[in-house]
Amino acid sequence: MDAPNPSVPWDRDELTVGDLAARSGVTVSALHFYERKGLIASRRTSGNQRRYRRETLRRVAFIRVSQRVGIPLADVGAALDTLPGDRTPTAKDWRRISRAWHEDLDARIEQLSRLRDHLTDCIGCGCLSLRRCALTNPHDELAEAGPGPRTLLVEGLEQHDEP
Protein backbone atom coordinates (compact mmCIF):
# COMPACT_ATOMS: atom_id res chain seq x y z
CA MET A 1 0.00 0.00 0.00
CA ASP A 2 1.35 3.43 -0.93
CA ALA A 3 2.09 5.89 1.84
CA PRO A 4 -0.05 9.02 1.94
CA ASN A 5 1.30 11.89 -0.13
CA PRO A 6 3.32 13.93 2.39
CA SER A 7 2.83 17.08 0.31
CA VAL A 8 -0.90 17.03 1.07
CA PRO A 9 -1.32 17.37 4.86
CA TRP A 10 -4.43 15.63 6.12
CA ASP A 11 -5.33 18.50 8.42
CA ARG A 12 -5.39 21.28 5.84
CA ASP A 13 -8.87 22.70 5.12
CA GLU A 14 -7.97 24.05 1.68
CA LEU A 15 -6.00 22.44 -1.13
CA THR A 16 -4.16 23.90 -4.10
CA VAL A 17 -5.06 22.56 -7.53
CA GLY A 18 -1.82 20.53 -7.43
CA ASP A 19 -2.72 19.11 -4.01
CA LEU A 20 -6.19 18.22 -5.21
CA ALA A 21 -4.79 16.57 -8.33
CA ALA A 22 -2.23 14.57 -6.35
CA ARG A 23 -4.71 13.44 -3.73
CA SER A 24 -7.60 12.66 -6.10
CA GLY A 25 -5.60 11.06 -8.91
CA VAL A 26 -7.16 13.45 -11.43
CA THR A 27 -5.09 15.66 -13.71
CA VAL A 28 -5.03 19.40 -13.18
CA SER A 29 -6.59 19.90 -16.62
CA ALA A 30 -9.48 17.60 -15.66
CA LEU A 31 -10.02 19.58 -12.46
CA HIS A 32 -10.12 22.81 -14.48
CA PHE A 33 -12.64 21.15 -16.82
CA TYR A 34 -14.82 20.06 -13.87
CA GLU A 35 -14.69 23.60 -12.55
CA ARG A 36 -15.69 25.10 -15.93
CA LYS A 37 -18.64 22.68 -15.98
CA GLY A 38 -19.67 23.79 -12.48
CA LEU A 39 -19.05 20.38 -10.89
CA ILE A 40 -16.51 21.73 -8.40
CA ALA A 41 -15.70 25.23 -7.19
CA SER A 42 -12.68 27.08 -5.89
CA ARG A 43 -11.95 30.44 -4.40
CA ARG A 44 -9.14 32.66 -5.57
CA THR A 45 -6.36 33.93 -3.33
CA SER A 46 -5.09 37.51 -3.52
CA GLY A 47 -2.45 36.10 -5.90
CA ASN A 48 -5.26 34.64 -8.11
CA GLN A 49 -4.43 31.03 -7.18
CA ARG A 50 -7.19 28.46 -6.84
CA ARG A 51 -7.98 27.02 -3.42
CA TYR A 52 -10.40 24.14 -3.01
CA ARG A 53 -12.22 23.15 0.15
CA ARG A 54 -11.08 19.74 1.36
CA GLU A 55 -14.52 18.20 0.75
CA THR A 56 -13.94 18.78 -2.97
CA LEU A 57 -12.00 15.50 -2.80
CA ARG A 58 -15.28 13.68 -2.21
CA ARG A 59 -16.96 15.48 -5.12
CA VAL A 60 -14.09 14.56 -7.44
CA ALA A 61 -14.23 10.93 -6.30
CA PHE A 62 -18.00 10.92 -6.91
CA ILE A 63 -17.48 12.38 -10.41
CA ARG A 64 -14.79 9.82 -11.29
CA VAL A 65 -16.77 6.82 -10.08
CA SER A 66 -19.92 8.06 -11.81
CA GLN A 67 -18.07 8.51 -15.08
CA ARG A 68 -16.58 5.03 -14.84
CA VAL A 69 -20.04 3.48 -14.75
CA GLY A 70 -21.19 5.60 -17.67
CA ILE A 71 -23.28 8.25 -15.96
CA PRO A 72 -23.28 11.39 -18.12
CA LEU A 73 -21.64 14.48 -16.62
CA ALA A 74 -24.92 16.37 -16.93
CA ASP A 75 -26.54 13.85 -14.55
CA VAL A 76 -23.56 14.04 -12.21
CA GLY A 77 -23.83 17.82 -12.21
CA ALA A 78 -27.55 17.71 -11.52
CA ALA A 79 -26.93 15.45 -8.51
CA LEU A 80 -24.12 17.65 -7.21
CA ASP A 81 -26.35 20.71 -7.61
CA THR A 82 -28.66 19.26 -4.96
CA LEU A 83 -25.88 19.38 -2.35
CA PRO A 84 -25.72 22.38 -0.03
CA GLY A 85 -23.35 25.15 -1.07
CA ASP A 86 -23.16 26.80 2.33
CA ARG A 87 -21.82 23.83 4.30
CA THR A 88 -19.99 20.54 3.95
CA PRO A 89 -22.36 17.83 2.68
CA THR A 90 -23.21 15.28 5.33
CA ALA A 91 -23.65 11.53 5.08
CA LYS A 92 -27.40 12.23 4.94
CA ASP A 93 -26.91 14.42 1.86
CA TRP A 94 -24.92 11.70 0.10
CA ARG A 95 -27.51 9.04 1.10
CA ARG A 96 -30.20 11.15 -0.58
CA ILE A 97 -28.22 11.15 -3.84
CA SER A 98 -27.59 7.44 -3.48
CA ARG A 99 -31.31 6.72 -3.07
CA ALA A 100 -32.15 8.90 -6.06
CA TRP A 101 -29.69 6.96 -8.24
CA HIS A 102 -30.50 3.51 -6.89
CA GLU A 103 -32.95 2.55 -9.67
CA ASP A 104 -30.69 3.94 -12.40
CA LEU A 105 -27.66 2.09 -11.02
CA ASP A 106 -29.64 -1.16 -10.82
CA ALA A 107 -30.57 -0.73 -14.50
CA ARG A 108 -26.92 -0.04 -15.39
CA ILE A 109 -25.85 -3.18 -13.51
CA GLU A 110 -28.42 -5.20 -15.43
CA GLN A 111 -27.23 -3.62 -18.71
CA LEU A 112 -23.61 -4.53 -17.96
CA SER A 113 -24.60 -8.06 -16.93
CA ARG A 114 -26.45 -8.56 -20.21
CA LEU A 115 -23.48 -7.23 -22.15
CA ARG A 116 -21.12 -9.59 -20.29
CA ASP A 117 -23.37 -12.60 -20.71
CA HIS A 118 -24.66 -12.13 -24.27
CA LEU A 119 -22.10 -10.22 -26.29
CA THR A 120 -21.02 -13.39 -28.11
CA ASP A 121 -24.64 -14.23 -28.95
CA CYS A 122 -27.13 -12.42 -31.13
CA ILE A 123 -27.65 -9.01 -29.55
CA GLY A 124 -30.66 -8.14 -31.68
CA CYS A 125 -28.99 -5.49 -33.82
CA GLY A 126 -30.31 -6.88 -37.08
CA CYS A 127 -26.95 -7.63 -38.68
CA LEU A 128 -27.65 -11.39 -38.73
CA SER A 129 -23.92 -11.96 -39.25
CA LEU A 130 -23.59 -14.85 -36.79
CA ARG A 131 -25.18 -18.25 -37.31
CA ARG A 132 -26.71 -17.96 -33.85
CA CYS A 133 -28.52 -14.78 -34.95
CA ALA A 134 -30.50 -16.73 -37.51
CA LEU A 135 -31.76 -18.95 -34.68
CA THR A 136 -32.48 -16.31 -32.04
CA ASN A 137 -33.59 -13.54 -34.39
CA PRO A 138 -34.79 -15.14 -37.62
CA HIS A 139 -35.68 -12.63 -40.32
CA ASP A 140 -34.71 -9.84 -37.89
CA GLU A 141 -37.95 -10.16 -35.93
CA LEU A 142 -36.47 -8.02 -33.16
CA ALA A 143 -36.66 -5.00 -35.46
CA GLU A 144 -40.34 -4.76 -34.48
CA ALA A 145 -39.23 -3.99 -30.92
CA GLY A 146 -37.29 -0.94 -32.08
CA PRO A 147 -33.81 0.06 -33.19
CA GLY A 148 -30.51 -0.98 -31.68
CA PRO A 149 -29.30 -4.07 -29.84
CA ARG A 150 -32.71 -5.14 -28.56
CA THR A 151 -31.64 -8.16 -26.49
CA LEU A 152 -29.01 -6.13 -24.64
CA LEU A 153 -31.00 -2.97 -23.91
CA VAL A 154 -32.56 -2.57 -20.49
CA GLU A 155 -35.93 -0.83 -20.29
CA GLY A 156 -35.89 2.34 -18.25
CA LEU A 157 -32.21 3.02 -18.84
CA GLU A 158 -31.88 6.13 -20.92
CA GLN A 159 -29.63 5.55 -23.90
CA HIS A 160 -27.03 8.23 -24.67
CA ASP A 161 -25.28 8.39 -28.01
CA GLU A 162 -22.04 10.01 -26.88
CA PRO A 163 -18.84 10.07 -28.92
Side-chain angles (χ1 to χ4, degrees):
M1 183 194 241
D2 293 335
N5 185 341
S7 68
V8 184
W10 64 269
D11 60 348
R12 194 167 356 145
D13 290 336
E14 288 190 322
L15 305 173
T16 66
V17 69
D19 291 343
L20 184 60
R23 184 64 185 87
S24 67
V26 174
T27 64
V28 169
S29 61
L31 294 172
H32 290 168
F33 174 77
Y34 294 159
E35 193 166 355
R36 282 192 309 276
K37 293 293 185 183
L39 302 172
I40 61 174
S42 67
R43 73 168 185 87
R44 296 292 182 137
T45 66
S46 59
N48 203 31
Q49 295 177 333
R50 289 177 168 94
R51 292 293 184 267
Y52 297 90
R53 292 177 15 187
R54 186 164 194 85
E55 57 266 17
T56 304
L57 281 167
R58 187 172 185 113
R59 284 179 172 257
V60 172
F62 176 75
I63 294 164
R64 288 188 72 199
V65 169
S66 300
Q67 285 183 299
R68 283 189 177 176
V69 297
I71 297 173
L73 275 181
D75 293 351
V76 174
L80 290 173
D81 285 346
T82 68
L83 293 174
D86 60 339
R87 62 172 171 80
T88 300
T90 64
K92 183 178 178 182
D93 295 319
W94 289 106
R95 263 194 309 276
R96 182 178 36 76
I97 288 176
S98 175
R99 278 193 307 272
W101 277 15
H102 198 260
E103 192 173 304
D104 181 60
L105 290 172
D106 282 345
R108 287 178 186 282
I109 290 167
E110 183 179 346
Q111 183 76 70
L112 289 169
S113 295
R114 285 186 188 187
L115 179 63
R116 178 198 63 216
D117 296 342
H118 299 290
L119 189 59
T120 58
D121 291 338
C122 176
I123 60 174
C125 67
C127 74
L128 302 176
S129 63
L130 301 174
R131 286 188 183 157
R132 179 126 173 85
C133 295
L135 299 174
T136 59
N137 186 22
H139 312 293
D140 193 20
E141 294 166 353
L142 288 172
E144 294 175 21
R150 300 316 306 171
T151 57
L152 289 186
L153 296 179
V154 172
E155 291 300 318
L157 185 60
E158 188 175 328
Q159 303 301 314
H160 296 279
D161 293 328
E162 297 179 15

